[in-house]
Amino acid sequence: MAELIERLRSICGPEHVSDALADRMCYRRDCGPTPGGVPGYIVRPESTDEIVALVKLANEVGKPLFLWGRATTFVDAGVKEGCIVLALDLMNRILKIDVENQVVITEPGAIWHAVDSELGKLGLEMTVPGGGGMFSCTVGGTVAFNAVPHGISEYGVTGNHVVALEVVLPDGAVIRTGSWANADAPFPIERGANGPDLAGLFIGACGTLGIITQVALRIRRIPECERFLFYAFDTIDQCVDAVAGIQHQNGATFLIGLFGGPPPTGVGGKAFLQIIIRDHEARAAERMQICRAVCESFAGRPQNSEGTRRYWTEHMYSWLRNTPPDAYYGSRPYYCPEVAGFVPTQALKQAIPLVQQYIANNAEFARVGMRVKGMDVYFSPNAAFLWVDTLYPEMDREAWRVGLRVRAEISELLFGRWMSPGGIVAGIAPYIMPRLGPTYELMKRLKAALDPRNILNPGVLGLGLPADSQLLEQSR
Ligand SMILES: Cc1cc2nc3c(=O)[nH]c(=O)nc-3n(C[C@H](O)[C@H](O)[C@H](O)COP(=O)(O)OP(=O)(O)OC[C@H]3O[C@@H](n4cnc5c(N)ncnc54)[C@H](O)[C@@H]3O)c2cc1C
């Protein structure tokens, strides 16, 4: 398509468009285990106007666009063969730090932690810290995915902290949400203004309904102090009961439970609880006391919390298990097809033993060298986000097949009883969307109304697929 590439170049400039195979191969997959198709073109716009022109062109020629933040998701993005990848990395500016109104406005390609670093120079931070991918993920991708962030026990999910969005719709119209929509008073100060919560339509939609081109997020002063606790328990039930007690009293900023995988170095027990508290000094002391009392009333044994502190301040997951990063991330190449989602806190007492039993009875684990990296839980204010992370040797084709089968079987096990996943993208869609019934039908109707030509991320969330196709078949 010689003409198409010329038109793409005329929109974004020749230096920001490529159809070279070497470039296209780099945009096939996210961090998930399954490569998508090889895209036909890579374009890297620098402005909302360029995105509008690209969307109009895609509609005209009937070529899908796939939106690319930094592709740090783990669940298979679903890039379509021959599509145009619209990479947002060049739109990475912080547009405004509005201290007075307590919001920061960024372009979608800004890296999450880079924004927090700039805010940090002013003693400020975003009101949600970002997830484990904060050093590489973008603000737009994280909002579109509605990532499960650190600090979720107090702060909730990423989307809760969005004040307003600018979005390019699949027909090229540019909208703003909430109070930002009023052309005569365009202040991004309140999401719940000017009618229904339209920002919510694009949060978690993974780019199927619109392209987020600006994000206004809440900011605040960095809390006065951070405190850390670490407890070991002899049973899963004791640990879960302790968490429920802390949740009921809003005792912690971040509760992380470790229920599987390697136990923390040098600590005995069956379940472990990492506790992080951020607050002013007096309230932090009270919350520490609540957490200690609750854990110890459920026979929790206090441990050295230096690993907890290092996890939180150095952002290395390995420290949750008292392990330095080099040991934890060694013995590559291993790959992680995770299954993750929200379950009621008390359901962990059944869900964790069930998954443990499934793994113990699955001879395939030993046959292809699979391991369990962790069964870790980020506790939200009222529930649990369980991550079942299995690892398989990435270079072994048979292990890859088993890894995907294990992901499917654990998904069926959990989604069928207790679990609803967070970010879905394409890989998990076949296991969850059919369970949503009329809600999935509504999503399809919204997709058809906003994007009748299926230009944006077709197949993601199982939306925009040809009418006669089976969701499961399409994603294979
Ligand atoms: C080391 C590591 C740790 C991680 N820890 C966590 C964690 O703790 N919690 C968690 O939830 N996730 C975690 N992740 C997954 C991932 O980092 C996050 O979900 C991340 O926020 C995705 O951002 P991204 O910019 O890479 O988005 P991408 O993966 O590029 O995009 C995600 C989805 O949004 C779409 N999209 C991208 N940009 C836009 C846009 N501007 N407008 C509309 N749609 C768009 C994409 O098409 C895709 O469907 C982790 C990843 C890594 C590598």
Side-chain angles (χ1 to χ4, degrees):
M1 278 222 196
E3 195 212 347
L4 179 56
I5 190 135
E6 286 314 318
R7 292 183 68 186
L8 293 169
R9 284 178 179 144
S10 74
I11 294 170
C12 296
E15 69 282 20
H16 295 150
V17 177
S18 175
D19 63 352
L21 183 61
D23 291 334
R24 292 186 285 129
M25 290 297 287
C26 299
Y27 289 87
R28 272 186 96 183
R29 65 189 275 196
D30 61 4
C31 296
T34 313
V38 179
Y41 308 88
I42 314 300
V43 298
R44 298 166 71 213
E46 286 187 298
S47 68
T48 300
D49 287 348
E50 288 184 12
I51 291 180
V52 169
L54 290 167
V55 168
K56 289 186 173 162
L57 177 59
N59 271 290
E60 182 191 321
V61 300
K63 265 230 177 277
L65 295 167
F66 185 87
L67 311 180
W68 190 276
R70 288 283 173 142
T72 62
T73 42
F74 282 102
V75 275
D76 304 339
V79 179
K80 289 277 177 267
E81 185 74 23
C83 72
I84 302 169
V85 163
L86 198 158
L88 290 148
D89 57 311
L90 297 179
M91 291 180 64
N92 59 11
R93 289 175 304 163
I94 298 172
L95 298 172
K96 187 172 187 184
I97 297 175
D98 184 347
V99 180
E100 182 60 33
N101 292 308
Q102 298 183 60
V103 291
V104 60
I105 304 171
T106 78
E107 290 186 325
I111 299 297
W112 192 277
H113 197 68
V115 178
D116 250 339
S117 298
E118 287 304 309
L119 290 167
K121 293 175 189 167
L122 305 171
L124 301 168
E125 63 179 17
M126 285 186 277
T127 51
V128 65
M134 66 176 85
F135 292 104
S136 41
C137 67
T138 66
V139 170
T142 302
V143 169
F145 187 74
N146 201 6
V148 168
H150 295 173
I152 182 176
S153 315
E154 181 173 345
Y155 308 138
V157 292
T158 300
N160 295 357
H161 301 262
V162 171
V163 179
L165 297 175
E166 180 188 83
V167 180
V168 175
L169 297 180
D171 65 357
V174 183
I175 65 150
R176 286 181 166 178
T177 65
S179 58
W180 217 2
N182 182 347
D184 291 326
F187 302 114
I189 48 173
E190 179 53 53
R191 179 156 154 192
N194 294 327
D197 176 19
L198 292 181
L201 201 56
F202 304 99
I203 296 168
C206 290
T208 52
L209 302 178
I211 305 169
I212 298 168
T213 46
Q214 288 185 23
V215 184
L217 285 153
R218 288 196 190 287
I219 58 174
R220 69 168 158 238
R221 292 242 139 254
I222 295 172
E224 192 180 359
C225 69
E226 296 181 331
R227 298 282 179 263
F228 309 98
L229 293 167
F230 179 30
Y231 276 86
F233 297 83
D234 290 328
T235 69
I236 293 169
D237 288 16
Q238 286 168 339
C239 184
V240 169
D241 285 333
V243 167
I246 295 170
Q247 282 176 319
H248 285 203
Q249 299 185 68
N250 187 21
T253 303
F254 198 17
L255 290 166
I256 306 153
L258 312 178
F259 297 97
T265 308
V267 183
K270 286 272 186 300
F272 309 89
L273 187 59
Q274 304 278 9
I275 302 173
I276 294 148
I277 294 165
R278 308 179 79 224
D279 219 316
H280 60 80
E281 294 276 0
R283 177 69 185 135
E286 278 171 31
R287 293 172 87 184
M288 289 278 280
Q289 199 41 39
I290 290 170
C291 292
R292 282 197 192 104
V294 173
C295 285
E296 286 163 33
S297 65
F298 288 102
R301 286 176 278 107
Q303 308 293 321
N304 183 339
S305 61
E306 177 60 7
T308 323
R309 186 193 68 76
R310 295 193 74 164
Y311 159 75
W312 182 256
T313 56
E314 297 172 19
H315 305 286
M316 277 295 161
Y317 207 80
S318 63
W319 286 117
L320 288 177
R321 290 182 162 76
N322 281 344
T323 313
D326 51 347
Y328 191 76
Y329 297 108
S331 67
R332 292 272 171 166
Y334 257 77
Y335 200 77
C336 173
E338 70 181 26
V339 177
F342 293 96
V343 304
T345 300
Q346 290 294 336
L348 290 173
K349 291 177 181 173
Q350 291 168 277
I352 297 224
L354 191 72
V355 178
Q356 284 173 339
Q357 200 181 19
Y358 163 83
I359 292 167
N361 293 336
N362 191 332
E364 299 284 73
F365 271 70
R367 186 173 69 80
V368 300
M370 279 188 74
R371 304 174 184 177
V372 179
K373 175 176 163 234
M375 261 185 265
D376 299 348
V377 179
Y378 283 4
F379 288 96
S380 70
N382 61 319
F385 192 82
L386 167 63
W387 254 288
V388 182
D389 283 345
T390 49
L391 298 175
Y392 66 82
E394 186 171 25
M395 308 307 281
D396 177 344
R397 196 74 186 154
E398 174 60 3
W400 175 79
R401 269 191 287 275
V402 172
L404 288 190
R405 192 160 65 237
V406 164
R407 181 176 77 174
E409 287 171 0
I410 295 178
S411 297
E412 293 293 344
L413 207 61
L414 294 175
F415 297 172
R417 289 174 218 204
W418 304 284
M419 185 182 270
S420 284
I424 295 170
V425 201
I428 298 293
Y431 311 109
I432 186 62
M433 302 320 268
R435 298 179 199 276
L436 306 186
T439 303
Y440 183 32
E441 294 307 315
L442 173 63
M443 289 183 203
K444 286 188 202 166
R445 274 162 45 205
L446 287 168
K447 175 72 175 170
L450 288 174
D451 188 11
R453 300 206 67 196
N454 290 329
I455 289 302
L456 285 192
N457 282 12
V460 171
L461 268 61
L463 299 175
L465 295 171
D468 57 350
S469 71
Q470 294 296 312
L471 181 55
L472 196 55
E473 291 308 315
Q474 276 290 317
S475 72
R476 278 182 177 147

